[in-house]
Amino acid sequence: MKPFGYLRPSSVTEAVRARASHPGAYYLGGGTNLVDLMKLGVERPALLVDVSRLPLDTVTRADDGSLVVGASVRNSDLAAHPAVRADYPVLSQALLAGASGQLRNTATTGGNLLQRTRCGYFQDVTKPCNKREPGTGCPAVEGAHRDLAVLGHSENCVATHPSDMAVALAALDATVLLHGPEGERTVPLTGFHRLPGENPDQDTVVRPGELVVQVTLPPARPGARSLYRKARDRASYAFALASVAAVAEVRDGRVEYAALAFGGLAHRPWRATAAEAVLRGAPATPETFVRAADAELAAARPLRDNGFKVDLARRLAVDALTELAERAAAPA
């Protein structure tokens, strides 16, 4: 066992100062991902800065109608929150589709965003992995990649981001507040996670020492409906082969507004902007939905064994949008 230090700060400022002044320090929230990686030898922190007891565990309504979610809010509490269930059902559904009840009771909002890939090569320290050790290679490209990326990957890494919650947040135009040594800054959720490019070890745009403080959801769009669909190898406790978060407002048979994000296909939640452009103002029909999904998935570059993900994602998107259109057409 590799020894490490432990610190429980009493404020965000103290936490950030501790992280900045200790090379090799990591923030510890629920620990559902970090502790596993420590056991595997993937992560070897010199110091754990425990932020789980900081006052970041509330869900509040802002004056403009936005919903502000503290970084320490547990996944189970967020999924069950009345405001989330009423105004952002896609988020509640995504949270409940992730992990197990026991893990949701421990995992936090900030930690969910920052969890690392579950690629088998990344988690096995006996194998090379550019994400774990830059420059060692990506054996998944020619190896076991059935569950891995079809969008946005590079020759250096084909891993996928495992979060369900983040996919819903991407479709909802959420923002993330970061507090670091240089102060606070806000990052759109759609720009929070990075594609691999030449630096697959850099999962996010978080700067050294920065702490996720809160996530903000903009006011719910009147008339819009939302849902989350996930396909996986077994009924529960499995990561997505493909998933979709859909938000749509359909009026008089036409799509007035649509936001779509895919999960399980890339290094980050994949906001489907090409699909959204096809949907806006178009008839709310299955034909339109197929055309929209195809416009987005035309960019897919499947590997030898994961081409099925493209059709799976298309079917999930069409199914989700069709259901939302049917709900809008149903008598009140």
Side-chain angles (χ1 to χ4, degrees):
M1 177 178 176
K2 184 179 184 296
F4 57 87
Y6 175 85
L7 177 67
R8 183 183 292 169
S10 58
S11 68
V12 169
T13 301
E14 183 184 345
V16 170
R17 187 183 301 119
R19 173 78 183 267
S21 61
H22 291 82
Y26 284 60
Y27 291 125
L28 174 68
T32 57
N33 184 214
L34 177 57
V35 173
D36 282 347
L37 294 177
M38 290 170 65
K39 292 176 180 178
L40 292 169
V42 175
E43 302 286 13
R44 302 172 69 85
L47 172 70
L48 291 181
V49 181
D50 187 347
V51 297
S52 63
R53 308 268 180 110
L54 296 180
L56 302 173
D57 59 350
T58 59
V59 179
T60 57
R61 184 75 73 176
D63 292 341
D64 66 353
S66 299
L67 199 67
V68 181
V69 181
S72 295
V73 173
R74 306 293 170 173
N75 288 178
S76 55
D77 291 336
L78 186 58
H81 196 280
V84 175
R85 295 181 65 186
D87 295 338
Y88 312 96
V90 63
L91 176 56
S92 180
Q93 293 165 13
L95 285 161
L96 293 173
S100 65
Q102 296 93 327
L103 287 172
R104 291 194 297 269
N105 286 339
T106 301
T108 63
T109 300
N112 190 301
L113 293 178
L114 294 168
Q115 64 183 305
R116 308 208 67 188
T117 183
R118 264 59 177 194
C119 173
Y121 296 101
F122 171 76
Q123 293 186 315
D124 185 349
V125 295
T126 69
K127 302 291 195 300
C129 171
N130 283 325
K131 187 174 283 294
R132 191 181 66 248
E133 295 183 59
T136 58
C138 179
V141 172
E142 298 296 335
H145 54 236
R146 172 182 177 269
D147 298 343
L148 302 181
V150 297
L151 286 167
H153 55 81
S154 73
E155 62 181 6
N156 296 304
C157 187
V158 295
T160 52
H161 193 265
S163 175
D164 293 288
M165 181 193 78
V167 181
L169 292 177
L172 291 168
D173 291 318
T175 58
V176 182
L177 179 64
L178 298 166
H179 187 110
E182 299 176 357
E184 291 185 341
R185 67 185 180 108
T186 299
V187 177
L189 193 286
T190 51
F192 183 80
H193 299 96
R194 295 182 67 260
L195 294 179
E198 297 296 322
N199 303 102
D201 55 311
Q202 299 174 21
D203 294 344
T204 70
V205 299
V206 176
R207 297 168 184 165
E210 285 187 323
L211 174 67
V212 176
V213 175
Q214 66 187 38
V215 173
T216 300
L217 302 171
R221 186 181 178 93
R225 294 170 169 82
S226 67
L227 58 78
Y228 186 72
R229 287 285 181 270
K230 177 179 180 178
R232 46 192 164 183
D233 281 327
R234 56 183 184 272
S236 66
Y237 198 32
F239 298 105
L241 294 170
S243 67
V244 65
V247 183
E249 180 185 354
V250 177
R251 187 179 303 165
D252 298 326
R254 304 192 79 83
V255 180
E256 296 290 327
Y257 173 82
L260 208 66
F262 288 110
L265 303 186
H267 286 67
R268 67 185 183 198
W270 190 270
R271 183 66 183 260
T273 54
E276 292 170 7
V278 172
L279 291 168
R280 282 193 296 269
T285 63
E287 292 76 17
T288 295
F289 303 152
V290 169
R291 188 160 51 89
D294 285 344
E296 191 64 47
L297 295 168
R301 293 182 293 118
L303 304 172
R304 181 193 64 241
D305 297 328
N306 66 0
F308 73 96
K309 282 192 167 196
V310 178
D311 185 56
L312 183 59
R314 178 188 297 109
R315 290 171 182 268
L316 286 171
V318 172
D319 178 69
L321 291 166
T322 299
E323 181 171 337
L324 292 177
E326 290 173 350
R327 288 187 195 175

